[in-house]
Amino acid sequence: MYFDWTYLVLVLPMLIITMIAQGKVTSTYNKYSKVISRRGWTAEQAVRQILAANGLHDVTITRVAGNLTDHYDPRTNSIALSDTVYGSRSIAAIGVAAHEAGHAIQHAVGYFPIKVRTAIVPLTQFGSRLSTPLLILGLLLGFYPLAYSGILLFGVTTVFQLVTLPTEYNASRRALEALEGGYLDEDELKGTKKVLSAAASTYLAALFVSLASLLRLILIVNGRRRD
């Protein structure tokens, strides 16, 4: 029986960290979703005002099903707010929505990491579909250039995670700076910052998982090649 020590030592600990980070996001959001903003803004209203204050009148805001399915789509220049965020007046929802507004601002000012991330999305999708088949086929045939091609394609997803990290942290910083302008009180901002920090930790964990997985693949192929 083959014992894959690389998965146990490299990937599994990172997956556990990811689960802990995701649990932290859920618990932190649930806690501050019960704290209603004193100024009465809904998340959707706050986003519209933040966008207007930055001269972004062409960004559309839509409502999507789900819980924390919020995202910004640079292809359509639109912000999608989830059912649990859109009409909520909680400081957690306002923070999440403002974070997406931060992405729209990044797109408008030409923030470099988000431009890189957007540009490599097609390549990342291509790589995620083909990396594993190429790797397995290369190992089965003993044709290692093919296996290394699979590793290279997987590496594109790691680059994507790498440029995602500063993009997400920067969007949160922009969100907090915007919310200081009269949307939330100082003590409320502290709670919102905890929500956004917890969310950011999941992107850091995702990068660690991707790096560990990439190293694992390299070790596997190099080990097979030496055998």
Side-chain angles (χ1 to χ4, degrees):
M1 180 180 294
Y2 175 70
F3 176 69
D4 188 1
W5 67 268
T6 59
Y7 183 85
L8 184 64
V9 174
L10 293 174
V11 180
L12 186 59
M14 297 300 102
L15 291 177
I16 293 173
I17 292 174
T18 298
M19 292 174 61
I20 293 172
Q22 291 173 339
K24 181 66 174 178
V25 171
T26 301
S27 62
T28 305
Y29 182 84
N30 288 341
K31 176 181 179 180
Y32 290 102
S33 66
K34 298 179 176 66
V35 180
I36 305 303
S37 167
R38 299 188 189 96
R39 305 193 184 192
W41 293 92
T42 66
E44 181 264 341
Q45 289 171 337
V47 166
R48 290 192 185 279
Q49 291 299 317
I50 291 171
L51 293 174
N54 285 273
L56 304 181
H57 302 286
D58 58 342
V59 180
T60 58
I61 302 173
T62 60
R63 185 169 185 161
V64 294
N67 178 37
L68 295 180
T69 51
D70 313 83
H71 61 276
Y72 169 71
D73 189 342
R75 297 169 300 178
T76 58
N77 197 25
S78 62
I79 293 174
L81 299 180
S82 61
D83 286 334
T84 54
V85 169
Y86 189 92
S88 174
R89 300 179 188 276
S90 74
I91 63 173
I94 292 172
V96 169
H99 174 90
E100 301 308 329
H103 284 311
I105 296 170
Q106 289 174 336
H107 181 69
V109 301
Y111 180 64
F112 184 69
I114 200 172
K115 291 172 65 177
V116 174
R117 186 174 74 167
T118 301
I120 66 174
V121 164
L123 184 57
T124 301
Q125 294 172 336
F126 176 78
S128 64
R129 287 194 299 266
L130 287 183
S131 60
T132 300
L134 288 178
L135 178 66
I136 293 175
L137 188 60
L139 290 175
L140 289 176
L141 297 176
F143 186 58
Y144 294 101
L146 190 61
Y148 284 119
S149 296
I151 292 176
L152 183 62
L153 286 176
F154 183 87
V156 177
T157 65
T158 304
V159 173
F160 180 82
Q161 296 292 348
L162 184 62
V163 297
T164 291
L165 197 60
T167 301
E168 296 299 329
Y169 275 98
N170 181 265
S172 291
R173 181 183 62 80
R174 292 175 188 271
L176 291 171
E177 289 177 353
L179 293 175
E180 288 176 351
Y183 300 93
L184 297 177
D185 292 339
E186 185 175 349
D187 60 321
E188 294 173 330
L189 279 168
K190 293 179 181 179
T192 300
K193 185 175 182 179
K194 290 180 180 179
V195 172
L196 296 179
S197 295
S201 69
T202 63
Y203 294 101
L204 183 60
L207 174 60
F208 287 157
V209 169
S210 187
L211 286 170
S213 298
L214 180 62
L215 177 59
R216 172 176 175 255
L217 295 179
I218 293 172
L219 290 173
I220 288 175
V221 174
N222 285 345
R224 292 289 186 88
R225 190 173 186 180
R226 287 194 296 266
D227 291 342

